[in-house]
Amino acid sequence: MSRVAVVPGSFDPVTLGHLDVIERAARLFDEVRVVVVHNPDKPGGLFAPAQRVAIIQQAVADAGLPASVVVDDFGAGLLADYCTQFGATALVKGIRSHTDLVYETPMAIVNEHLAGVETVFVLPKPENAQVSSTLVRQVISLGGDVAPFVPAAVLEAVRAR
Ligand code: PNS
């Protein structure tokens, strides 16, 4: 049976840390669905969700990841329902620090309760451990260089804005 995992997030924008997590998930699972979720706690982002999907698709292709990695705009709703719909048995999340673990643990428990879906935590490469979309957005808005933190597809999208 094919093992399907979901890598969810706001991805506004996708960072090298996210790509690291996606690569790890692709090594562990037969199919990986990278899902752009509209997080109501983070309104008014840098890129519209459809643009985020396009940027991630470009970044995944540029990184030479397999066709088993697909990118989807989930919109709003319960992630557990999305997992059930696509037969996903796992969520894959990156843990950069104890703060991430504190943030992720309740969601993992709720998702297990709702859909029996397991959350698999992976550690990013140390050089990606301090990267966050929030900081990247801030640096972009102030005209700084984010090239060390994001895939080329993000830089192209920033230039095209
Ligand atoms: O990149 P983010 O914003 O930290 O990702 C958070 C996200 C989108 C994964 C989280 O907010 C989420 O899972 N939202 C879906 C709504 C949901 O299912 N909530 C209930 C169980 S956690």
Side-chain angles (χ1 to χ4, degrees), residues 11-82:
F11 301 114
D12 190 31
V14 66
T15 67
L16 292 179
H18 291 132
L19 215 52
D20 190 348
V21 172
I22 296 165
E23 282 180 26
R24 287 165 198 271
R27 289 201 288 270
L28 292 170
F29 292 90
D30 301 309
E31 183 184 334
V32 173
R33 302 190 71 86
V34 182
V35 175
V36 174
V37 181
H38 305 192
N39 187 344
D41 296 334
K42 299 180 182 174
L46 181 65
F47 294 109
Q51 282 178 294
R52 297 178 208 170
V53 169
I55 292 167
I56 301 167
Q57 281 170 334
Q58 182 65 51
V60 162
D62 290 348
L65 295 189
S68 58
V69 177
V70 296
V71 189
D72 197 8
D73 182 356
F74 165 56
L78 277 178
L79 197 55
D81 289 343
Y82 183 94

Side-chain angles (χ1 to χ4, degrees), residues 74 77-85 88 91 110-111 114-117:
F74 165 56
L78 277 178
L79 197 55
D81 289 343
Y82 183 94
C83 290
T84 303
Q85 184 184 349
L91 292 160
V110 168
N111 283 317
L114 290 172
V117 67

Side-chain angles (χ1 to χ4, degrees), residues 124-137:
K125 288 188 198 117
E127 60 265 36
N128 292 329
Q130 304 303 326
V131 183
S132 77
S133 295
T134 305
L135 273 180
V136 165
R137 275 199 308 278

